[in-house]
Amino acid sequence: MRTEGGGTTRSQRLGVFGGTFDPPHLGHLIIATELRHALSLDRVLFVPAGRPPHKRAQIIGEDERRLAMLRLALADAPNFDVNLVDLDRHGPSYTADTIDLLHEQLQPAELVFLMGEDSLRDLPAWHEPERIVARAELGVARRPGVELDLAAIYSAVPTACGRVHLVDVPEIGISSRDLRRRVADGRPIRFQVPRSVEDYIRRHGLYREASPVRPTPQPEQV
């Protein structure tokens, strides 16, 4: 359970931003920046997923290369750190387990789990969502076209009441899946990922083969 850099976490308010980051892109950085500002977070911890249960059918990049790209992407961001809690353990990376481990590791820091509005919509179907909101507030980036019924979410997960913060962020049409496809098709990714990440992808020949068709990822169910 290692956090790289950042020093002490005493009395801090920390954002927790999970993802496969395969590859990390400017959309990730913009969302983290907007949520950090809006929610008065001292730092944001980027937590690369180990074995996300809702993406079992997806081929996830080798841990080492994802971690290397994430470190490059955050190199010039003094308020962003990498935490290896998911990569350091075995088994499915359920968010509830991750938040419990981070709470134990970083207490008494306040945790805010960062997610998109579509993920909040699916929260009742996640593995033990009550454990998540018991340990962390939810910082939610609004997404265009997502229909959200907060009353239904609060009914299904009562502990979420008063712990959800919706934040307007710039609309960003960048996704890791699309970036992998663009590289495979020989199309440019300049200005969509940090230059250091682009150089790493080119230098190591990543994503050159077209990715297989994969099922739509489902919420992290039991």
Side-chain angles (χ1 to χ4, degrees), residues 185-206:
D185 294 341
R187 291 183 288 163
I189 59 172
R190 179 66 55 88
F191 306 122
Q192 297 187 62
V193 298
R195 181 63 180 269
S196 58
V197 173
E198 180 186 9
D199 291 343
Y200 184 95
I201 291 171
R202 183 178 64 253
R203 186 167 65 252
H204 291 272
L206 303 185

Side-chain angles (χ1 to χ4, degrees), residues 14 18-19 40 46 76 107 113-114 117 140 171 191 193 214:
L14 304 178
S40 300
F46 284 68
D76 296 324
Q107 63 180 322
F113 183 68
L114 309 182
E117 197 171 8
V140 183
E171 186 174 346
F191 306 122
V193 298
R214 301 161 181 161

Side-chain angles (χ1 to χ4, degrees), residues 178-190:
D178 179 63
L179 289 170
R180 293 192 298 267
R181 289 173 176 167
R182 293 182 68 87
V183 174
D185 294 341
R187 291 183 288 163
I189 59 172
R190 179 66 55 88

Side-chain angles (χ1 to χ4, degrees), residues 22-96:
D22 191 20
H25 53 71
L26 294 184
H28 293 133
L29 303 181
I30 292 170
I31 289 172
T33 299
E34 292 290 325
L35 291 176
R36 176 179 175 268
H37 173 76
L39 303 176
S40 300
L41 304 176
D42 293 289
R43 311 185 72 78
V44 174
L45 307 181
F46 284 68
V47 182
R51 301 294 176 265
H54 61 299
K55 294 187 177 182
R56 285 172 178 160
Q58 177 172 320
I59 300 171
I60 300 172
E62 296 176 2
D63 293 346
E64 294 81 4
R65 80 184 189 200
R66 289 190 294 125
L67 184 55
M69 287 188 289
L70 187 56
R71 286 169 173 155
L72 289 170
L74 304 184
D76 296 324
N79 297 301
F80 294 165
D81 297 317
V82 178
N83 185 285
L84 306 180
V85 62
D86 274 349
L87 294 182
D88 282 347
R89 64 192 176 101
H90 301 289
S93 301
Y94 287 116
T95 298

